[in-house]
Amino acid sequence: MTAAAMGASTLRTFAARLRATAPVSARILSELASELDKGGPVADLLCSHSAVHSPLFGVQALAGVRLLMLSGRAPELTERFTSAHAAAMAGESDSAALLTWLAARSAIIENPGEILAALDRTVQQHQPKTAGFLLRGLTMIGAPKVRLLELGACAGLNLILDHYRWFGLGWEWGDKDSPVRLAAAGPQPPNLRIVDRAGCDLQPRDPADPKHAMILQSFIPPEHDALRWDLDDAIELAAKVGVKVARSPAGRWLRENLVPPEDRTTYTVIWHSSFWSYLTEDERHEIETTLTAAAGSMPLARVAYESTDFRSNPRLTVTIYS
């Protein structure tokens, strides 16, 4: 299969997933796939990048188009998209969606550097709601005091889960005055306190930096308003909390930071989500070896919300090492 055919197939798969909830974005992806089929300047640009072979190519391509809108580089596209979204919500003709695609095509051709830069970036669909799975894992562990270390922490939005307000069936947990208010599943969490928190990432995002915030926002289709609102509130809160994420490979950072805490009653929890699939077998082995070696010197667990590959649904796992 050629690079163009592979890329077109990936774009169409992602478009099908978005069609029900983000129809205008899905139309852009479908038209992008057709461009790859027939060739031309857009196809030449996208196929010049190795990301065309990735199962996440559709996510990266759409994020690149979305970033052009967020940065103000594609005002016509932004205007067309708003009209097309309103038309789609009203169940009207898709002619507005076609005009939106034509504006998107022009924006891609006029901003090749920005599109290629988007394809260079690791996918960072960094939603605060993902921390709900971490909360479920911490509830299973049941430790009153936790030191939280996150691998692939991005902007640290999961590290501040206790600064959010969570609403479960018959219970609430977290900061009652938090601007980030999220639904949660499972039993009521215990009275736990996060006494220390830290994380690492190859491409950490600073929530206080508007450019970094914009990159995180670009991974949400414009139609997904609720997700965007939650993300914006979480980014603003993370900037106030001031959590810092180190730029480092996960294996090396874990070796340097996984030392026994001063308070031996504190439970150390390693957390990661949408991270494991990016690692090589050697990198996974390095992390597992570090965790196994540290198990004799501290109470230690790992909470992970991961899929077996980029195409499957993630699963929550809790591993108790000691």
Side-chain angles (χ1 to χ4, degrees):
M1 184 180 291
T2 66
M6 183 180 300
S9 175
T10 302
L11 291 172
R12 289 193 174 96
T13 299
F14 189 37
R17 288 171 51 192
L18 288 181
R19 194 159 289 128
T21 62
V24 185
S25 294
R27 178 63 179 272
I28 290 174
L29 288 169
S30 295
E31 295 290 351
L32 273 178
S34 296
E35 287 284 323
L36 265 61
D37 286 338
K38 67 184 181 183
V42 172
D44 291 343
L45 175 66
L46 296 181
C47 291
S48 71
H49 198 286
S50 61
V52 74
H53 300 281
S54 167
L56 296 176
F57 173 57
V59 181
Q60 293 167 294
L62 186 60
V65 173
R66 175 62 173 149
L67 193 57
L68 293 178
M69 298 167 62
L70 291 168
S71 64
R73 290 181 175 272
E76 181 186 357
L77 171 58
T78 302
E79 182 179 348
R80 294 287 188 189
F81 201 108
T82 301
S83 298
H85 181 36
M89 294 293 289
E92 298 174 357
S93 168
D94 68 350
S95 59
L98 176 59
L99 292 174
T100 302
W101 154 245
L102 294 175
R105 185 179 187 278
S106 296
I108 292 170
I109 293 172
E110 293 167 4
N111 297 276
E114 285 73 16
I115 294 298
L116 292 176
L119 297 179
D120 280 336
R121 295 189 188 100
T122 300
V123 172
Q124 294 176 311
Q125 295 172 312
H126 196 29
Q127 279 296 313
K129 69 175 185 177
T130 305
F133 296 98
L134 169 59
L135 180 60
R136 185 81 175 269
L138 294 178
T139 300
M140 294 165 122
I141 295 169
K145 289 188 292 185
V146 170
R147 175 178 61 159
L148 184 59
L149 303 178
E150 183 176 10
L151 308 179
C154 193
L157 303 188
N158 293 316
L159 287 169
I160 59 171
L161 79 162
D162 52 332
H163 289 266
Y164 303 154
R165 188 65 173 176
W166 297 92
F167 296 86
L169 185 60
W171 57 265
E172 298 179 20
W173 187 89
D175 183 355
K176 61 183 178 62
D177 297 320
S178 177
V180 182
R181 310 178 78 77
L182 301 164
Q188 181 170 357
N191 291 323
L192 66 89
R193 182 163 59 97
I194 299 177
V195 298
D196 193 17
R197 68 194 85 208
C200 70
D201 200 286
L202 288 176
Q203 296 180 2
R205 300 297 173 195
D206 181 357
D209 185 328
K211 292 182 180 179
H212 284 211
M214 198 179 297
I215 288 172
L216 295 179
Q217 293 160 349
S218 72
F219 288 105
I220 300 178
E223 299 97 325
H224 292 176
D225 293 327
L227 292 180
R228 185 173 69 254
W229 296 332
D230 286 343
L231 177 62
D232 290 348
D233 287 342
I235 288 173
E236 184 177 353
L237 180 59
K240 292 178 180 177
V241 173
V243 62
K244 296 297 182 183
V245 177
R247 183 183 298 274
S248 174
R252 184 180 71 195
W253 182 85
L254 189 61
R255 287 198 313 273
E256 295 172 352
N257 288 271
L258 192 56
V259 296
E262 293 183 7
D263 182 353
R264 295 305 178 95
T265 66
T266 296
Y267 216 108
T268 298
V269 176
I270 310 302
W271 154 251
H272 55 85
S273 62
S274 302
F275 160 80
W276 204 244
S277 296
Y278 288 100
L279 303 182
T280 65
E281 284 300 322
D282 287 344
E283 289 170 326
R284 296 176 186 178
H285 179 72
E286 179 185 16
I287 290 171
E288 187 61 50
T289 299
T290 300
L291 292 171
T292 302
S297 60
M298 69 187 81
L300 179 65
R302 172 164 60 173
V303 178
Y305 185 61
E306 298 284 358
S307 56
T308 54
D309 56 48
F310 291 116
R311 296 178 177 85
S312 59
N313 292 325
R315 295 176 293 183
L316 176 68
T317 59
V318 178
T319 305
I320 305 298
Y321 288 85
S322 58

